[in-house]
């Protein structure tokens, strides 16, 4: 986890191998005044696409945003051609 005043960055690790490997990153950009978070997720290792890592990362971000940060809204930023992200 990397913390900045309005951004929290996370690494996504694949733990099905030893040692665990970095396969992606995600972030919550926070507008504290509005209690709004904007997030994105990227899995850069294509061999780990469609294996649930993005979905799991999104669920963890949702929990963290609403429970730990007490945000009222969370938006996921996606590219219009990324159908998997749009399904999220």
């Amino acid at each position: 986890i990397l913390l900045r005043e309005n951004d929290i960055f996370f690494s996504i690790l694949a733990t099905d191998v030893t040692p665990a490997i970095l396969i992606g990153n995600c972030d919550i950009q926070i507008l504290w005044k509005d209690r709004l978070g904007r997030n994105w997720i990227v899995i850069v290792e294509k061999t780990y696409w469609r294996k649930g890592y993005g979905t799991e990362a999104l669920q963890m971000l949702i929990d963290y945003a609403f429970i730990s940060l007490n945000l009222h809204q969370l938006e996921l930023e996606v590219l219009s051609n990324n159908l998997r992200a749009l399904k999220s």
Side-chain angles (χ1 to χ4, degrees), residues 28 35-37 58-75:
I28 301 176
R35 304 201 68 79
L36 167 70
L58 179 58
Q59 187 58 57
M60 292 173 82
L61 285 173
I62 290 168
D63 292 345
Y64 187 75
F66 292 117
I67 296 169
S68 297
L69 300 176
N70 197 28
L71 297 180
H72 295 170
Q73 184 175 345
L74 185 65
E75 299 173 350

Side-chain angles (χ1 to χ4, degrees), residues 4-85:
R4 293 186 184 162
E5 183 178 351
N6 297 316
D7 290 300
I8 305 172
F9 296 91
F10 301 89
S11 296
I12 301 172
L13 302 174
T15 58
D16 61 339
V17 293
T18 304
I21 60 169
L22 177 67
I23 62 168
N25 295 294
C26 53
D27 169 60
I28 301 176
Q29 301 166 346
I30 304 165
L31 301 169
W32 290 108
K33 182 182 121 211
D34 301 321
R35 304 201 68 79
L36 167 70
R38 293 188 178 120
N39 72 326
W40 55 264
I41 299 168
V42 61
I43 307 293
V44 295
E45 293 293 330
K46 290 184 180 183
T47 57
Y48 287 91
W49 287 6
R50 296 187 177 122
K51 298 195 187 276
Y53 284 95
T55 301
E56 184 177 359
L58 179 58
Q59 187 58 57
M60 292 173 82
L61 285 173
I62 290 168
D63 292 345
Y64 187 75
F66 292 117
I67 296 169
S68 297
L69 300 176
N70 197 28
L71 297 180
H72 295 170
Q73 184 175 345
L74 185 65
E75 299 173 350
L76 176 63
E77 296 181 12
V78 300
L79 298 174
S80 61
N81 63 345
N82 187 336
L83 298 179
R84 291 184 311 274

